[in-house]
Amino acid sequence: MSTVKPLKPTTPKSEMPKLSTVLFDAAQAVRQVLAGQSLTEVLDAISRERKAAVQAISFYSMRYLGTAQALSQLLLSKKVPNPLVQALLLVGLCLLTVKKRDEMACAIENPAEEELSQQHIPRYQDFTVVDETLKAAQMHKKSAPFKGLLNACLRRYLREQDSLWEKVQQQEEARFNYPQWWIDLIRRAYPQQWQEVLNAANTPGPLTLRVNRRRVTRDDFAAELTQAGLSHLLYGEDAIILKKAVPVQQIPGFDAGLCAVQDAGAQLAASILPLANGLHVLDACAAPGGKTAHVLERADVEMTALDIDAKRLARVQENLQNLGLYSDKVHLYTADASQSTWWDGRLFDIIMADVPCTASGIVRRHPDIKWLRKQSDVSKTAALQRLIVKNLWSLLKPGGYFLYITCSVFPQEGVEQAAFIEQSFSDAQRLAAPGQLLPIHPQGGVSLHDGFFYALFKKQEK
């Protein structure tokens, strides 16, 4: 993957209109994602005062990039050689098509609570989008010469939007906003629900908290949220879902470690496991540490957490310290879970294997994933998962429990891997677990959890 360096605008910062600056940054983000870079990393380089606005527009653009790409092909006689100009056009088209999506949403009855859809939809007047996109183009010498082309394309879309929209909706990549291979895979896997699965992932997930039961009861914490005017739902055993997202600094007790952000689907891991004080537990591929922390909140165990990325493992330690969970019973290792060079020879009572995957189940929180992944990545991650499982199974005590987890909705990384475990280890007894969780709401609307797969096994004593 080649790194694309962000371009610096030639116009002094003080002279740039706010929206045009945001559009320039958002276009750069889109350009960098199309070159193979993570949107999270790209946004980390954006200045704090503009980051929220840039994120809103770049996330929206990632969600509906397929439609914008199809429209750009109809509007352009040939491909624009300048990737920044192409990205500006894509962002502009995404913003101009917001009204079309609003019309489609109004035509569909949605019984789910509207408050749970925390999507910051960037709505602007058509003339504002066009004018500010052109101003954004003027901010760099490489894009300024294409101002006329951008103007012609955007205004042509506005003149012909009904016919253009009808044309692109005939293309599946444009209608569902995923690469065709992804659409085909989901359709084969879920023939009755495939459209729901695809559409649901284009709706941002709610902000979900995990209450730190070591420091506060959920009922007491919920009362604090009510007092602070934060409407919410109780979910599962430890989760609270905010009906409207707010910066975490506005959540009472967040900085004091009374809660942490964790999707409701991810919180199932600790409740599935037969936890008890004194057990020796391994969380493999642990970063950022949500499941590690949740186990420590629920039981006094000796915890080993490992991750191949030292920086991400450092974040695990920071999170545990903030929650008051880091102690001499917690051992952190930077290591490859497919190997045992880090292991001290002591078998584990419980192993959580939240293995690397395509992350296809969390696209609604990371919409760049669907454009970064390739079809070949599915088989590659599946092969790595099997290597990790084979190694970790050998570290489990007879009578111990093994929880296989992925944040994927692809069967190759879920149900097929569970079958592999059953077939590969004669001492593996499969137990009850949720299996495949799809990020869809049973009544339509916003799902209360991301896409996950869970399979629980017990290692039989010989």
Side-chain angles (χ1 to χ4, degrees):
M1 180 188 74
S2 58
T3 301
V4 177
K5 295 182 179 180
L7 302 174
K8 295 181 179 180
T10 54
T11 308
K13 182 177 178 180
S14 59
E15 297 178 11
M16 291 190 293
K18 184 178 180 180
L19 180 55
S20 59
T21 305
V22 170
L23 291 175
F24 185 90
D25 287 342
Q28 290 207 83
V30 170
R31 176 179 71 99
Q32 289 170 281
V33 169
L34 292 176
Q37 293 177 244
S38 163
L39 184 56
T40 300
E41 295 177 356
V42 172
L43 291 174
D44 283 344
I46 302 295
S47 62
R48 181 178 299 179
E49 63 272 12
R50 295 201 307 272
K51 185 173 181 178
V54 174
Q55 178 171 305
I57 292 178
S58 58
F59 267 49
Y60 191 85
S61 299
M62 285 292 102
R63 289 191 173 100
Y64 300 108
L65 188 64
T67 302
Q69 288 176 323
L71 286 171
S72 71
Q73 291 173 5
L74 293 176
L75 295 168
L76 294 167
S77 58
K78 59 182 179 179
K79 186 176 180 179
V80 178
N82 187 307
L84 176 58
V85 175
Q86 179 67 29
L88 281 167
L89 176 59
L90 294 175
V91 171
L93 288 170
C94 283
L95 298 184
L96 289 177
T97 52
V98 168
K99 290 182 179 179
K100 284 294 184 183
R101 291 189 189 86
D102 285 344
E103 292 172 5
M104 293 174 65
C106 290
I108 300 174
E109 183 178 352
N110 186 348
E113 289 200 48
E114 293 183 1
E115 285 183 284
L116 284 177
S117 180
Q118 294 148 68
Q119 183 174 10
H120 181 175
I121 299 177
R123 293 186 175 89
Y124 302 97
Q125 295 293 326
D126 291 342
F127 71 88
T128 300
V129 173
V130 175
D131 290 348
E132 297 301 309
T133 301
L134 300 183
K135 291 176 183 177
Q138 288 182 294
M139 292 180 185
H140 197 276
K141 61 182 180 181
K142 289 188 176 182
S143 54
F146 295 91
K147 176 184 173 182
L149 177 64
L150 283 172
N151 184 50
C153 288
L154 295 176
R155 294 190 183 281
R156 181 188 166 194
Y157 168 76
L158 291 175
R159 291 194 307 271
E160 305 174 22
Q161 57 184 293
D162 290 338
S163 61
L164 289 170
W165 183 264
E166 184 176 352
K167 286 181 181 178
V168 299
Q169 290 302 297
Q170 302 306 310
Q171 306 173 33
E172 286 194 331
E173 288 193 14
R175 186 163 76 253
F176 294 107
N177 290 282
Y178 291 84
Q180 190 63 50
W181 68 265
W182 191 304
I183 296 171
D184 293 341
L185 197 162
I186 295 297
R187 178 162 37 208
R188 289 194 301 269
Y190 312 104
Q192 304 302 319
Q193 300 171 295
W194 68 276
Q195 295 189 48
E196 293 176 73
V197 174
L198 294 173
N199 290 331
N202 283 332
T203 302
L207 177 58
T208 304
L209 306 175
R210 186 191 71 248
V211 178
N212 183 355
R213 57 169 65 187
R214 293 267 184 171
R215 290 188 167 176
V216 65
T217 67
R218 187 170 67 167
D219 287 345
D220 287 345
F221 187 73
E224 291 192 35
L225 292 178
T226 300
Q227 188 173 3
L230 298 177
S231 183
H232 57 273
L233 300 172
L234 302 184
Y235 188 85
E237 298 177 356
D238 296 303
I240 293 182
I241 299 173
L242 298 188
K243 291 187 177 182
K244 183 178 181 181
V246 297
V248 293
Q249 293 78 15
Q250 296 180 21
I251 298 173
F254 183 87
D255 291 336
L258 299 188
C259 67
V261 174
Q262 187 181 33
D263 181 76
Q267 293 189 39
L268 288 176
S271 61
I272 294 170
L273 291 168
L275 295 174
N277 293 340
L279 294 181
H280 189 206
V281 180
L282 169 64
D283 186 1
C285 314
K291 297 178 184 67
T292 304
H294 199 189
V295 168
L296 290 168
E297 289 166 1
R298 294 173 69 104
D300 185 13
V301 302
E302 182 179 356
M303 172 65 72
T304 297
L306 62 90
D307 198 272
I308 197 169
D309 189 321
K311 290 184 179 179
R312 284 169 55 81
L313 192 65
R315 184 180 170 191
V316 173
Q317 181 173 337
E318 292 173 4
N319 291 338
L320 293 179
Q321 288 173 332
N322 184 60
L323 294 165
L325 302 170
Y326 191 69
S327 70
D328 57 4
K329 290 184 179 181
V330 176
H331 316 291
L332 305 180
Y333 295 97
T334 301
D336 184 345
S338 67
Q339 301 176 14
S340 301
T341 53
W342 55 273
W343 186 46
D344 63 4
R346 296 171 57 215
L347 295 173
F348 293 94
D349 297 297
I350 290 176
I351 294 178
M352 289 190 294
D354 190 354
V355 294
C357 68
T358 56
S360 57
I362 57 173
V363 171
R364 63 182 188 168
R365 301 188 189 280
H366 301 278
D368 55 323
I369 286 174
K370 56 185 177 179
W371 307 112
L372 293 172
R373 297 292 181 265
K374 300 176 182 177
Q375 187 171 4
S376 58
D377 291 335
V378 181
S379 58
K380 288 179 181 178
T381 57
L384 175 59
Q385 290 164 356
R386 295 186 179 192
L387 288 176
I388 292 173
V389 166
K390 286 180 178 179
N391 179 58
L392 294 179
W393 189 260
S394 67
L395 311 185
L396 184 66
K397 283 182 181 178
Y401 294 86
F402 186 93
L403 183 59
Y404 176 85
I405 313 166
T406 67
C407 55
S408 175
V409 294
F410 294 154
Q412 296 91 327
E413 299 177 293
V415 293
E416 293 181 16
Q417 297 294 52
F420 165 79
I421 295 173
E422 287 186 280
Q423 296 165 6
S424 299
F425 308 114
S426 59
D427 53 353
Q429 176 190 2
R430 190 165 180 180
L431 305 176
Q436 184 67 68
L437 296 176
L438 296 177
I440 57 178
H441 195 288
Q443 296 179 316
V446 180
S447 172
L448 301 183
H449 57 74
D450 290 342
F452 278 90
F453 180 83
Y454 286 100
L456 179 64
F457 300 88
K458 183 175 182 179
K459 191 172 190 177
Q460 296 178 307
E461 299 188 43
K462 296 180 179 179

